Amino acid sequence: ATGEAPALKKMAAGHPEKVVVAQRIAEDFLGRLQVMLDLGLGYLTLERSTPTLSPGELQRLRLATQVRSNLFGVVYVLDEPSAGLHPADTEALLRVLDKLKASGNSLFVVEHEIDVIRHADWIVDVGPAAGEKGGHILYSGLPAGLKNVKDSVTRRYIYEDSVKVVPTPRTPKDWLKLEGVTRNNLAGLSAAFPLGVMTSVTGVSGSGKSTLVSQVLVELVAEQLGLKVATSAETEADPLEQVEVLTLGGQITAGMKHIKRLVVVDQKPIGRTPRSNLATYTGLFDHVRKLFASTKAAKAKKYDAGRFSFNVAKGRCPHCEGEGFVMVELLFLPSVYTPCPTCGGTRYNTKTLEITYKDKNIAEVLGMTVDEAANFFDEDPAVSRALEVVSEVGLGYLRLGQPATELSGGEAQRIKLATELQRAQHGQTLYILDEPTTGLHPSDVERLMLQLNRLVDAGNTVILVEHDMRVIAASDWVIDIGPGAGEDGGKIVVAGTPAEIIKNKVSRTAPYLKQTFVNA
Ligand SMILES: [Zn+2]
């Protein structure tokens, strides 16, 4: 593009029109590449097939195409474009969004990230809380006006500096040491993870942090514990490539004696069918069914706990087989689901519904929210305590019988954590979470941190792959991978307490982390 190719002069003399064409093509080509570089996608190879891209990468790739399209008067709707982005990448994203806006387009963005919200020209805040306690427009107007909206939870994070990070790092019990880690862009890497504390592994997108934690660390620990890690079909890399890469490996050289259990808490659904729900997943439903079976009426009819399961023939509605709805097939149109005409969507047969516990039948109990149920079962400590844990993670608005398929990734993750918190804690469990704050409002992030801290206080180890600076600042230890993405990454730039990280000059995380400290 700079016109320095050696054959150019010769061609310019003989065929000036060819030079013009070549320059046009090159300019356009470089322009397209530049947008992708701006969006922090420089580490992707050109032949990378689109199904293997993460949703965030795909969204940014689509954006890149739009920026070059020179369209105007278009309304773009973006759902959490900053999800999974390092703040350095988020800044690049904002520059691209600004370009789209400057060309005469409108952007509607659903967003949790405070930096993106601050960048907006207009804010619509929906709430005040989740589920039944939400659904109202609290504010719609210029950013400054949100300051006066008392009910807004978002306001607190934008305008009040009450959200302070007070770093008081815990002291590690011991270290889990990895050596010779070679995978993707990691080459012979040595890493040490502190045990009995909370560690955040940071770095820009494509730096290799997920490879180190979610792939290598998980597989090596699982191998040592004699577990098999199912290779997920949704892994980032091409499956064929992965088989080759896997053989390179690495090994754990110290620290395994402190780890008895490995739990990977991800945002995958807690069940793939409407038959699994919050109550069945957490084990709550077993208690509830026993309570129903222990009533006088149930005993008189010899109904056992199985009678109150919608998965067992004797108690459920025979027409929908406990699904609660039936599929209606339409000619030439997609099939639709409607409530079952026999049981009215209750999932049970009339005989089962005749049995009540404190004047409620089993279907009515499944229709209660977690908060309502916690009150209802207050005489039964086992049930109410389990419900309180779910409520504490901010999910009090979910219904007990809400199908697993209706839950968001963030909700599924918090249910998994709540279930872990309920377990008898013996410590010595290693919890691994890959970007747990993705899609969470800052107030939900605080709740998540509370839970994670409780796990650490119970003697466990928590390792996060994280972009959220407040989470990183509140961690006991930080390992920053990079400095850049792809070939420019894959090294440990700096490891230490958050206060030590911010002094580093090379780390791309340090300047953003420093701001969090300054604000505090
Ligand atoms: Zn039915």
Side-chain angles (χ1 to χ4, degrees):
T2 48
E4 283 166 10
L8 196 67
K9 273 187 186 157
K10 207 171 144 194
M11 202 204 274
H15 307 278
E17 77 287 353
K18 279 192 184 171
V19 175
V20 174
V21 170
Q23 277 174 342
R24 278 277 162 79
I25 295 173
E27 270 171 26
D28 184 65
F29 183 65
L30 289 172
R32 281 169 198 273
L33 286 178
Q34 192 55 50
V35 180
M36 282 186 254
L37 290 175
D38 287 347
L39 281 167
L41 296 172
Y43 60 92
L44 294 177
T45 55
L46 293 181
E47 80 237 335
R48 178 78 174 264
S49 66
T50 44
T52 65
L53 295 171
S54 75
E57 287 168 341
L58 202 59
Q59 188 175 38
R60 280 181 285 157
L61 209 55
R62 285 214 189 98
L63 264 180
T65 324
Q66 291 302 321
V67 170
R68 293 293 298 172
S69 71
N70 294 324
L71 289 171
F72 60 92
V74 177
V75 171
Y76 292 101
V77 179
L78 295 102
D79 198 353
E80 296 182 28
S82 77
L85 292 190
H86 186 275
D89 296 323
T90 304
E91 280 185 5
L93 173 82
L94 288 175
R95 282 196 294 275
V96 170
L97 295 184
D98 283 344
K99 273 186 202 165
L100 281 174
K101 188 181 82 178
S103 323
N105 301 297
S106 304
L107 297 150
F108 298 165
V109 183
V110 179
E111 192 51 77
H112 294 286
E113 181 58 44
I114 293 300
D115 290 333
V116 178
I117 300 173
R118 282 210 183 101
H119 200 77
D121 302 305
W122 192 268
I123 294 179
V124 178
D125 195 32
V126 186
E132 284 163 17
K133 289 173 191 151
H136 300 283
I137 305 281
L138 297 177
Y139 178 72
S140 176
L142 298 170
L146 187 64
K147 226 182 243 180
N148 308 318
V149 185
K150 293 271 178 294
D151 285 343
S152 169
V153 183
T154 311
R155 176 193 69 138
R156 245 178 76 212
Y157 295 90
I158 299 185
Y159 295 109
E160 288 180 15
D161 39 27
S162 66
V163 195
K164 283 179 185 171
V165 177
V166 187
T168 43
R170 301 178 184 87
T171 316
K173 275 193 270 185
D174 202 348
W175 297 81
L176 181 68
K177 288 182 180 158
L178 269 61
E179 263 164 42
V181 174
T182 301
R183 163 104 55 112
N184 294 340
N185 66 343
L186 309 177
L189 186 80
S190 298
F193 296 92
L195 297 171
V197 301
M198 192 190 304
T199 299
S200 284
V201 180
T202 59
V204 296
S205 308
S207 62
K209 58 189 186 310
S210 284
T211 306
L212 177 63
V213 177
S214 298
Q215 296 180 10
V216 177
L217 182 64
V218 168
E219 280 166 26
L220 290 180
V221 171
E223 192 189 312
Q224 294 277 318
L225 292 173
L227 306 166
K228 271 196 179 171
V229 177
T231 319
S232 157
E234 296 148 4
T235 42
E236 276 186 50
D238 186 275
L240 287 174
E241 266 174 50
Q242 262 214 331
V243 177
E244 273 177 64
V245 180
L246 276 174
T247 57
L248 298 172
Q251 57 180 4
I252 295 176
T253 54
M256 267 315 284
K257 64 174 185 286
H258 299 287
I259 301 173
K260 297 280 176 280
R261 214 171 137 245
L262 169 71
V263 178
V264 180
V265 185
D266 53 24
Q267 296 205 353
K268 285 185 194 141
I270 56 169
R272 297 231 173 249
T273 73
R275 284 189 183 275
S276 48
N277 57 41
L278 190 153
T280 57
Y281 182 85
T282 56
L284 251 172
F285 203 40
D286 297 339
H287 289 289
V288 173
R289 288 190 289 123
K290 275 180 204 150
L291 285 178
F292 271 89
S294 69
T295 57
K296 260 187 193 167
K299 278 182 181 162
K301 294 188 173 171
K302 296 205 165 57
Y303 289 170
D304 61 3
R307 174 91 199 187
F308 300 95
S309 163
F310 49 78
N311 290 324
V312 179
K314 54 192 172 187
R316 71 186 180 195
C317 162
H319 184 72
C320 62
E321 296 183 324
E323 296 257 356
F325 49 80
V326 287
M327 194 175 73
V328 182
E329 283 188 57
L330 299 172
L331 212 55
F332 309 123
L333 284 171
S335 333
V336 292
Y337 287 95
T338 61
C340 168
T342 308
C343 63
T346 63
R347 298 170 165 230
Y348 293 93
N349 60 38
T350 40
K351 289 280 178 216
T352 308
L353 293 177
E354 278 167 11
I355 310 297
T356 56
Y357 173 82
K358 288 170 78 178
D359 293 332
K360 297 276 182 201
N361 66 36
I362 187 80
E364 286 167 332
V365 167
L366 282 174
M368 289 179 187
T369 65
V370 170
D371 285 338
E372 285 164 2
N375 278 326
F376 183 75
F377 289 108
D378 61 355
E379 289 155 34
D380 190 274
V383 178
S384 61
R385 209 178 308 127
L387 288 164
E388 272 159 27
V389 177
V390 179
S391 184
E392 276 165 20
V393 304
L395 298 177
Y397 61 90
L398 291 180
R399 282 176 291 109
L400 296 193
Q402 199 150 346
T405 46
E406 283 180 14
L407 303 171
S408 75
E411 286 168 343
Q413 175 175 255
R414 280 183 284 162
I415 291 173
K416 289 176 194 177
L417 271 177
T419 312
E420 279 300 315
L421 283 165
Q422 270 185 72
R423 292 177 75 102
Q425 286 291 344
H426 306 295
Q428 305 200 315
T429 298
L430 172 61
Y431 290 95
I432 293 182
L433 298 94
D434 199 343
E435 300 185 16
T437 62
T438 300
L440 297 190
H441 186 276
S443 63
D444 292 326
V445 172
E446 279 184 6
R447 285 207 182 94
L448 181 79
M449 287 302 285
L450 223 62
Q451 277 183 300
L452 296 178
N453 276 314
R454 278 171 61 190
L455 288 174
V456 175
D457 290 339
N460 301 298
T461 302
V462 173
I463 298 177
L464 315 162
V465 174
E466 194 49 75
H467 291 292
D468 190 304
M469 288 303 147
R470 281 153 307 157
V471 173
I472 298 167
S475 303
D476 302 305
W477 193 257
V478 179
I479 300 174
D480 192 45
I481 311 278
E487 285 173 10
D488 297 330
K491 293 184 179 59
I492 293 181
V493 179
V494 57
T497 61
E500 285 161 4
I501 300 294
I502 59 173
K503 292 177 196 145
N504 189 280
K505 297 274 183 280
V506 186
S507 164
R508 291 185 62 189
T509 306
Y512 299 97
L513 191 59
K514 204 172 177 176
Q515 283 175 17
T516 313
F517 273 86
V518 171
N519 290 343

